[in-house]
Structure formats: C-alpha cells, structure tokens
C-alpha cells in the first residue's frame, strides 16, 4: 500500500513536470510557435538567422496571408503579402526605415518607449514619412494552453499626418521573447479585439 502511494505520488510529480515542460520559451522560436485566436485566425512566429522574428498571419476569412518581419516581434521593419503559391506577392512589399539600426533596440520593458521619424518604402519606388510612437507598460498575466505568461503591454502608433494613422496593441510575452497582436485600429474605424485562445509549437 505504501509502495502504491509512493508510485502514485511519483507519477503525479512526473505528470505535473510534463505539463510544465510544455510551456513555451524563447528556444521554441527557432522552430516556431503558433498563436490561435477566437476568430479562427492564426499567427506563426519564427526567429530567423539574423535575429529578427518572421510573423505569418493567416485569416479564417480566406483573405491572403501576410508576412511581417520585426526585431523582438515588435519593432517592425518589413511586411508583404503571400500569394497562393506561398511566395511574396509582387507590389505588396513595405520596408520601414529607422533613423538608427533597429537591431540596437532593447527588448520591451515597462517604462521604456521610442518616438521617432520613420520612412515607409514601397516596392513601386514611392515612400511615405511617418511618426512612430511606441510605449511599454506592465501587462496582466496571460494564460494560454495551461501555461501562464507574464506580459508587457506594447502600444504602437503609426501617424501619417493628414492621411491619418494606425494604432496597435501587442502583448510581449516575457518568457517567450516575442509579441502577439491583441488589437488594431485605423483612425475612424472600429476593430474588435483579438482574443488569443491557444499557444503551441509549430509543426512544420
């Protein structure tokens, strides 16, 4: 009876540690992680060889997916649409130029932020100046797939002057070392918040 109880207790500990081992960390970004949202949309995030994060957004609506590239998953430097063959769609690439090397930006921390002039370079040769405003504050813990992640709230605004602007809200998951989209809204438009429902390892 005592041996049985010890075996049960040991099994319980092994099971508990097995569950904990499934919680994701920054090392999982090498293969990639997948965030699923209540809408049915998914986002896959992978760390590339140069240290940037490649972010693939796919939509339940069937709209063409988008790829974004960012330092720490939050300082965005490039985006483009993906065609039916999985290739870069011509005419959709946008490159964001910063006045300093964005690789030098630190990982998000509460109280930090950055405001500066950036330039959008489109692949048709045109460009647009913008003001980028980024602020970090302490976020609430986020539970996904049985794991609790500490978060930093990242509020981002791209301001294009008379053309309006775009506001975005991300949650930077400290244990993971990348950010997931929580909300976005163009001026004079309403957008429902995105509710993440699961977080797992990418399968391919």
């Amino acid at each position: 009876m005592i041996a049985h109880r010890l075996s049960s207790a040991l099994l319980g500990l092994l099971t508990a540690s097995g569950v904990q081992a499934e919680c994701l960390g920054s090392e999982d970004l090498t293969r990639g992680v997948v965030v699923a949202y209540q809408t049915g949309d998914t986002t896959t995030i992978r760390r590339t060889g140069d240290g940037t994060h490649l972010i693939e957004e796919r939509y339940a609506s069937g709209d063409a997916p988008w790829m974004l590239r960012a330092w720490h998953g939050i300082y965005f430097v490039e985006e483009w649409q993906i065609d039916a063959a999985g290739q870069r769609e011509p005419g959709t690439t946008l490159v964001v130029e910063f006045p300093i090397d964005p690789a030098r930006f630190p990982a998000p921390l509460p109280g930090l932020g950055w405001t500066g002039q950036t330039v959008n370079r489109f692949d048709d040769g045109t460009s647009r100046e913008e003001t980028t405003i980024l602020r970090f504050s302490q976020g609430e813990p986020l539970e996904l797939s049985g794991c609790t992640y500490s978060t930093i709230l990242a509020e981002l605004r791209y301001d294009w002057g008379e053309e309006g602007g775009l506001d975005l809200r991300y949650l930077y998951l400290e244990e993971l070392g990348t950010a997931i989209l929580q909300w976005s809204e163009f001026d004079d438009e309403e957008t429902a918040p995105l509710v993440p429902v699961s977080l797992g390892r990418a399968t391919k």
Side-chain angles (χ1 to χ4, degrees):
M1 191 64 162
I2 293 176
H4 175 72
R5 287 180 180 175
L6 286 174
S7 298
S8 298
L10 181 59
L11 180 61
L13 285 172
L14 290 173
T15 303
S17 25
V19 170
Q20 185 62 32
E22 291 302 306
C23 295
L24 305 187
S26 61
E27 66 279 1
D28 293 297
L29 289 175
T30 302
R31 180 169 184 175
V33 300
V34 181
V35 185
Y37 291 93
Q38 197 173 55
T39 55
D41 299 345
T42 61
T43 297
T44 301
I45 308 171
R46 292 183 173 90
R47 183 172 49 237
T48 65
D50 67 0
T52 57
H53 295 176
L54 206 55
I55 302 157
E56 182 179 341
E57 297 182 347
R58 292 189 172 269
Y59 314 109
S61 63
D63 291 347
W66 280 87
M67 193 78 79
L68 305 96
R69 195 163 62 88
W71 290 96
H72 300 292
I74 194 66
Y75 304 105
F76 292 93
V77 294
E78 189 178 16
E79 65 177 46
W80 64 92
Q81 201 168 45
I82 305 171
D83 64 18
Q87 303 301 312
R88 187 185 295 243
E89 181 71 41
T92 64
T93 299
L94 163 67
V95 174
V96 182
E97 294 182 353
F98 286 79
I100 60 174
D101 183 358
R104 295 169 53 193
F105 284 125
L109 284 173
L112 291 184
W114 186 82
T115 298
Q117 297 300 124
T118 49
V119 179
N120 295 164
R121 302 284 184 191
F122 302 95
D123 58 5
D124 63 359
T126 61
S127 64
R128 174 180 63 190
E129 293 186 356
E130 66 183 1
T131 301
T132 298
I133 303 167
L134 187 55
R135 294 287 180 265
F136 300 126
S137 58
Q138 190 63 56
E140 297 294 326
L142 178 67
E143 185 172 335
L144 285 174
S145 301
C147 297
T148 301
Y149 299 92
S150 53
T151 72
I152 293 171
L153 178 63
E155 295 174 290
L156 176 60
R157 177 168 175 80
Y158 296 114
D159 194 304
W160 307 310
E162 293 182 358
E163 293 184 48
L166 170 65
D167 292 294
L168 304 104
R169 182 180 299 158
Y170 281 83
L171 288 177
Y172 180 81
L173 308 187
E174 294 187 78
E175 291 86 354
L176 203 59
T178 196
I180 63 174
L181 182 62
Q182 189 181 39
W183 177 84
S184 67
E185 183 177 285
F186 286 98
D187 290 354
D188 301 322
E189 293 185 11
E190 290 187 7
T191 304
L194 285 169
V195 180
V197 294
S198 69
L199 176 64
R201 294 181 178 88
T203 56
K204 62 177 181 178

